[in-house]
Amino acid sequence: MQKCLLTLLLCFIGVYARAQYQVSGTVMDQTGETLIGATIREVGDNNNGTITDFNGKYTIKVSKKNAQLSVSYVGYEDQTVSVQGKTIVDIVLKTSEQTLEEVVVVGYGTQKKESVTGAITSVNQKVLKQTPVANITNALVGKVTGLTAIQQSGEPGYDGATIFVRGKATFTGSTNPLILVDGVERSFGDIDANEIESVSILKDASATAVYGVRGANGVVLVTTKRGEVGAPKVSLTYSYGVQTPTRLTKYCDSYDVLTLFEEGLSNDGKSSQYTPETIAKYRDRSNPTYQYLYPNVDWTEELLKDNTGQMQANVNVSGGGSLFRYFVSVGYMNQDGIYKYSDMSEYNTNAKMERYNFRTNIDVDIRKDVKLMLNLGGIIQDLNFPGTSASDLFYAIKTRLPYYYPMTNPDGSIAEYANSEGNPYAMLTKTGYAANKSTTLNATAGVTWDMSRLITQGLSLTARLSFDADNYRNVSRSRGYNAYKFSIAETETDLSKGTYANVRTGSEALGYGVTANGTRYTLLEAMLNYSRSFGEHNVTGLLMYNQSSKLIDATDAIKGLPFRKQGIVGRVTYNYAGKYFGEFNMGYNGSENFIQGHRMGFFPAVSLSYVLSEENFLKNTSWLDLLKFRFSYGLVGNDDNGSRFLYQSQWTTGWKTYTFGHTGNGLNLGGAGVYSTGNESVTWEKAKKLNIGLDLDLWKSAIHLTVDVFHERRTDILCTPGTIPSTIGVTSLPSINAGIVTNKGFEIELEHRKNFRNWGYSVKGNFSYAKNKIISADEPDNVDKPWQRRAGTSIDEMYGYIAEGLFQTWDEINDPDIAKTTASNLQPGDIRYKDLNGDGVINDDDRGYLGKNSTPDKIVGLALSGNWKNFDFSVLFQAALGGNTWFTGSAIWPFESKASVSQDVLNNYWSTNNTAEQNANVFYPRLSSDHSDNNYIESTYWLKSSDYLRLKNVEIGYRLPKSVNKFLGVEELRFYANAVNLITWDHMKIFDPESPNGAVNYPQMKVFNFGVHVSF
């Protein structure tokens, strides 16, 4: 009996001993941030587990010294570690591939994806780097919902896109979203993509209310990389790309242009200027003089390259320990232009951009409860251009007649005629050059004090100070040139016998002009953060004060005054059991731009979400991962109205012609008058926003769906009073807050992904729709002309005549019941317009809003990606729908202002030489030898849809096997090729659909890029 009792006692002691081996430690991520609520379990005993506290610390009793711990946390890779007899085991979790989807950057903080109640979408660095562009704004469109991006130029240094969040909701104020880089207002287009961790788009009031008076147009948050705990990691990236225009308009040669010109002269009732024999000589090169006497210059072919290069390189280093972490990056970008003849002088006349990017982000843990952070960034950019601007140069290239004069004379001098327009070749190579240099430096320093031990658990205090300085120095070295008219008998074969007459005289010495200025921006922030869990109740809070001051490059004393803002930010969140979420956000802020006593505003927002998938009856289903419903409503503002101090009246002396009196010496004393009347009631725009959303994840995130429906009512939009008659005698009426706009739409994102042993794939589609409507614009009722009322139309709606096709016969021309313009020489082949007021005459009273917008209201993206063994690929299709462009101007209208003719006109215009069937199917009206008062005006006839579908991006990559990497002494070596803007399907055909009205822009570019990435 005693032996049995002894045996039982020893067993009990053994079991007790095994259960009493205690292990403690801290769980943190790669940046050294502690993870709250991470789960730690003993492998083999699922009942033995714990979670980390607010400081990321845990304590667990395991059964043996060599036990293993399984550690898991949402958004991070599960990890198993061996205790190996240690009593303290610190654990660093690596972020999973879905980290940026699981942890979302929000205003002044981060939240888990499950706890987000607002409308936020984000994209990570991997996706951004797949698009080989110099300006990062061009890498976003089609990849996130709610974002519209329009790129109207490919000129180096000026190729950034204009972006909108959920379309436009104001017709007076700025429509640009607030851009913040690491929490500070900064531009982000020139940042190196290798520096960026993520880009988040904040769209609804819940997400943007903390920005108060600046949150109405949405917010773009750019987060740069930070150091991770671990050994130093060095990454090098090098790529070289070939740029070529997406599309260049082709123009007719001299023979075709003159043939068409003769037909235009005939239509205009003018005498012929060129015989068929003379026209034929413009193609005949049997005699050497014909090249100069009968020139045939393709200005596009002569002055523009088929392709040019761009190069990018980056090296960055990151690493650190639990006390010190760092990320350091240096980048270089070189982008050449497409102009030829850049080496003809001692200076470069090609467009070129060189950019140097620097960034250092440092985190230091001074004590367990005190952390310092320091962000330093810099961008140095050197731009070079010819002495003639890109718009003037491309206008000349696209409009100059091919027979006007040769590019050069036989002796190499510039060829022109007396009083002729400038030679495009001379404009490119003989007008000097411009060198623009800019430097951007920014710095942010901050300290965070964890006051959990001092006051209460979960409380911390953060203070940050940011300083930015942007400076530029633009040097213009302009010059003139001499031009000559070459004359010679056309039968002469010796070109040296020709004579030269000077027709233009200019100084060929380089002038010198310089403009230099800069901006300075300071931001001070102090915030209290609170985060704590009470069982299944989780509470967070934020209270922050901020103030900023900005001095800009100003041209007058008023604009030179500092732009100052200050405010208070608040946020309270609550969730119960990860199931019910509530959030209140507010901003109380303003600026000096409004009258004292009316400078501050309160902008609250509330949001709720319900995670139905956390209910017991759904929680353990194998097919449902997440089903969440979201709701938000709030008020935000927009104080960027483009003007300063509108509450003040501005006076001037010498007003009009009024004489106040005379001085003793007979000089008149002019009167004083108000040239700008102030309005002390002027205020910011107010936007009330409603958002309803759905998030759904199925089959372990194999399928993901996000749907958002939104409605916005924007009020207090600035208007020039249109209902006050001029008879009151005020010549400059003050702006008033009378405009109202509604903006509504929806967004859908659907993704399917699957991974297998050696391969995987992903298909992701997104669709965004935003439609606005002007409710009020303080305008006359226009009862007799409702088509001219702005109310009921959309922002950016096109304005002009409604075309009803072409006159086909003289009977239609002579029919008194058909309204016509008062243009002379009206004849078949001219455009026919709709008589809106029925008075029998087409005039300005018949112009009106056309129901077509210049800005697309629908954005579509379809991304395909996959991997097989060491290969990976990605493809992005992107579309923009609902936009329109004026197909107008000298680059399009034949012979407008003595302009050239595109090849699109050939066999595509109304002519008496055509059959009736042919004339019914042509696009261009009958030809005129110069401007046509009837045809060359803005109407629906010249309104073209700018809808397009692009093969926006393609990338294929290959990673060397690990065995080869080990032999080479590298961690990873990847070769890749990618391209952007490969193929475009659209209605334009002759120029890029994103081109501005008239299409005299530097062309958008497609890029074929090859690169290598290596990390150590």
Side-chain angles (χ1 to χ4, degrees), residues 944-964:
K944 281 268 192 175
S945 169
S946 59
D947 292 355
Y948 69 84
L949 170 64
R950 286 196 202 273
L951 178 52
K952 186 70 176 182
N953 191 188
V954 173
E955 180 177 79
I956 184 169
Y958 176 73
R959 289 178 172 83
L960 292 182
K962 292 183 178 179
S963 58
V964 178

Side-chain angles (χ1 to χ4, degrees), residues 263-277:
E263 184 171 346
L265 288 171
S266 176
N267 290 338
D268 294 341
K270 298 178 181 179
S271 301
S272 171
Q273 296 182 16
Y274 298 89
T275 65
E277 293 76 18

Side-chain angles (χ1 to χ4, degrees), residues 350-363:
N350 196 6
K352 185 174 184 177
M353 185 271 288
E354 284 189 289
R355 188 178 67 221
Y356 305 85
N357 293 81
F358 308 91
R359 184 166 300 278
T360 299
N361 292 341
I362 297 173
D363 297 284

Side-chain angles (χ1 to χ4, degrees), residues 500-575:
Y500 297 85
N502 183 266
V503 294
R504 181 193 293 266
T505 302
S507 173
E508 297 184 358
L510 288 172
Y512 184 83
V514 61
T515 56
N517 214 317
T519 66
R520 287 193 173 189
Y521 177 73
T522 56
L523 171 67
L524 174 65
E525 298 173 313
M527 68 183 79
L528 279 171
N529 279 286
Y530 179 73
S531 178
R532 192 166 181 178
S533 298
F534 303 90
E536 292 186 310
H537 302 273
N538 304 284
V539 180
T540 71
L542 165 71
L543 181 63
M544 184 178 77
Y545 169 80
N546 58 30
Q547 67 178 46
S548 65
S549 178
K550 187 175 185 179
L551 286 168
I552 67 168
D553 172 16
T555 56
D556 59 61
I558 294 178
K559 293 180 180 178
L561 295 173
F563 289 76
R564 288 178 174 157
K565 302 180 184 298
Q566 69 178 155
I568 298 173
V569 173
R571 176 190 293 127
V572 177
T573 73
Y574 168 80
N575 86 74

Side-chain angles (χ1 to χ4, degrees), residues 185-233:
E185 184 181 0
R186 295 165 177 152
S187 62
F188 76 109
D190 293 328
I191 296 178
D192 190 332
N194 292 280
E195 301 174 3
I196 296 176
E197 184 71 35
S198 68
V199 178
S200 296
I201 313 298
L202 281 55
K203 297 176 284 190
D204 69 336
S206 171
T208 65
V210 290
Y211 301 104
V213 76
R214 310 193 66 198
N217 294 331
V219 180
V220 178
L221 300 180
V222 181
T223 304
T224 61
K225 285 186 167 185
R226 309 202 71 80
E228 301 175 349
V229 174
K233 181 178 180 180

